[in-house]
Amino acid sequence: MADRCAHFRSEDKWAGRVLLAAVIAIQLSQVAIDVLINQWNNRFYNALQDRNWDNFVGRSASSRCWRSPPLGLAIYQLYLNQWLQIRWRRWLTHRYLGEWLHDANHYRMQLQGDAADNPTSASATTSDRSSTGRSISASIS
């Protein structure tokens, strides 16, 4: 949790905040579109039930207007979410490498022998890759 919050206070904070706000705004707009679609469905099926031909034809023609925006928003939200994840991973990598290389710690670790674990083994696991997505998703939820 501290690493996620620290990213939004780092030197890359404005880009991260804007991306996060955009992803949240798209999510809220998708909810609003879902509400509008449900209202449209109500009017459409009421026209079917009442056998109101004019209302039915009008609703059928208007359905074309709302079919493409949800798809476009979903694609753009995925793109922005992945962009945010890439920026966060880059920041996290620079942060951890900076801490590891600070004050020649890596040389001292060599002199100590087997006192330290292999630093590359942790970054190669699939759990680290999936935890990044979960971290970003958890911060959005």
Side-chain angles (χ1 to χ4, degrees):
M1 178 74 178
D3 287 336
R4 284 180 291 186
C5 294
H7 176 258
F8 294 108
R9 290 187 297 265
S10 69
E11 65 280 349
D12 195 32
K13 64 184 171 190
W14 292 113
R17 289 176 185 176
V18 168
L19 285 171
L20 183 62
V23 169
I24 291 171
I26 290 173
Q27 184 68 40
L28 291 175
S29 64
Q30 286 176 330
V31 170
I33 289 172
D34 285 342
V35 169
L36 293 174
I37 289 172
N38 284 334
Q39 291 173 351
W40 181 89
N41 283 336
N42 179 34
R43 289 188 294 271
F44 178 77
Y45 288 110
N46 282 342
L48 275 178
Q49 181 179 351
D50 296 340
R51 295 186 177 113
N52 186 345
W53 177 253
D54 295 332
N55 200 0
F56 171 75
V57 171
R59 298 287 171 215
S60 297
S62 70
S63 71
R64 293 184 208 114
C65 298
W66 54 261
R67 293 194 188 263
S68 59
L71 180 62
L73 284 173
I75 291 169
Y76 196 57
Q77 182 184 27
L78 178 65
Y79 169 73
L80 291 177
N81 196 1
Q82 288 176 344
W83 192 13
L84 180 61
Q85 286 180 15
I86 289 169
R87 293 181 77 95
W88 184 72
R89 288 176 185 173
R90 185 182 308 134
W91 170 81
L92 198 60
T93 301
H94 286 292
R95 179 178 173 194
Y96 285 144
L97 278 176
E99 289 176 6
W100 188 60
L101 296 174
H102 183 68
D103 292 333
N105 285 333
H106 54 291
Y107 291 123
R108 279 191 294 246
M109 289 170 58
Q110 283 181 335
L111 295 174
Q112 291 176 353
D114 280 344
D117 289 337
N118 183 1
T120 59
S121 66
S123 63
T125 63
T126 57
S127 64
D128 284 347
R129 281 183 256 138
S130 63
S131 69
T132 304
R134 284 193 306 265
S135 297
I136 295 295
S137 296
S139 65
I140 293 172
S141 301

